Amino acid sequence: MIQAVMVISTLGKPRLLKFYNFQDPEKRQELVLSIFQLLSERPEGVSNFVETDAIFGPGTKLVYKHLATVYFVFVFDNSENELAMLDLVQVFVETLNRCFKNVCELDIVFNFNKLHTVLDEMILGGQVIETSSEEIVRSVEDIVGETIKHNKPHTKVDFAALQPLIFSSHFQDRIRRTLPEEIRLAFEFISSGLSVL
């Protein structure tokens, strides 16, 4: 069973943490720190498999892939095949590359919902449910497309009709009294431009 999936920056910042068994928040931070210290001390060219009995308990291992500024880490127990886990890390990275057109750390930071969706399409409850990158991307596009479709506004806003309400003298007086000087000046500039519409 897969126990955890982590994406950690080379500076030690967790970018994705997904645990498939309960861990206290304090314990999670300790685990991330331990994993980061372990990986950052490893020289280049050594095996991507690490025994983590001291960190996660007996019979656990991790496999990682270091790409650019992030570590992709999968922690699993001895019921999983090591090479299959390494391949799963590769599928995860390939799928992210397809979703983000050459994934980088900023894509991971700013698109965490999509990242979680990709992971949820691959792994459910610590068990691998899909390994085809094409199927995962298709499912993610369907989910993201449905989300976008449902989040669209149903009616258009008629700003011309709202203009008398927004720029009434009562509203403008309230703005002048409550906003800091810089924001108030920007508001007056914008409102003067809109009042000529």
Side-chain angles (χ1 to χ4, degrees):
M1 178 178 148
I2 298 170
Q3 294 187 4
V5 175
M6 303 177 196
V7 178
I8 305 171
S9 77
T10 52
L11 298 175
K13 303 257 186 221
R15 300 303 185 192
L16 168 75
L17 296 177
K18 183 90 173 199
F19 290 89
Y20 294 102
N21 52 9
F22 178 75
Q23 301 287 343
D24 289 324
E26 297 85 21
K27 178 73 172 168
R28 287 182 183 198
Q29 294 302 322
E30 292 173 18
L31 293 172
V32 169
L33 182 61
S34 299
I35 296 293
F36 173 71
Q37 287 174 344
L38 179 72
L39 296 180
S40 62
E41 293 171 357
R42 290 178 66 81
E44 291 291 323
V46 297
S47 172
N48 290 5
F49 301 102
V50 181
E51 296 283 337
T52 56
D53 294 340
I55 300 171
F56 280 93
T60 58
K61 298 178 183 176
L62 73 78
V63 62
Y64 71 96
K65 191 167 191 84
H66 181 200
L67 296 174
T69 60
V70 291
Y71 294 104
F72 294 89
V73 181
F74 281 51
V75 179
F76 56 96
D77 61 22
N78 54 11
S79 67
E80 298 287 345
N81 183 313
E82 293 176 354
L83 294 177
M85 289 295 103
L86 183 61
D87 187 50
L88 192 63
V89 173
Q90 183 64 32
V91 169
F92 185 53
V93 172
E94 284 177 8
T95 305
L96 293 177
N97 276 335
R98 287 180 177 205
C99 289
F100 298 116
K101 310 295 184 246
N102 200 7
V103 68
C104 68
E105 188 174 356
L106 287 176
D107 293 324
I108 293 170
V109 170
F110 291 116
N111 297 295
F112 63 91
N113 287 335
K114 198 171 196 179
L115 183 72
H116 279 277
T117 304
V118 168
L119 188 59
D120 290 344
E121 288 298 312
M122 289 179 63
I123 302 169
L124 179 66
Q127 301 296 322
V128 178
I129 57 173
E130 184 62 64
T131 59
S132 168
S133 186
E134 294 86 15
E135 286 297 318
I136 296 167
V137 169
R138 190 175 303 118
S139 296
V140 168
E141 288 173 351
D142 289 346
I143 291 168
V144 170
E146 285 295 314
T147 303
I148 291 171
K149 188 168 105 178
H150 289 295
N151 288 338
K152 284 185 180 176
H154 298 289
T155 59
K156 291 186 177 180
V157 177
D158 184 6
F159 288 106
L162 290 176
Q163 187 177 358
L165 173 68
I166 293 172
F167 297 108
S168 67
S169 60
H170 172 73
F171 183 76
Q172 288 181 359
D173 289 339
R174 190 169 181 194
I175 293 294
R176 284 187 189 101
R177 285 181 277 138
T178 59
L179 291 179
E181 182 69 17
E182 297 85 17
I183 297 174
R184 185 184 60 76
L185 291 172
F187 176 77
E188 287 178 1
F189 176 75
I190 291 169
S191 64
S192 67
L194 289 176
S195 61
V196 295
L197 291 177

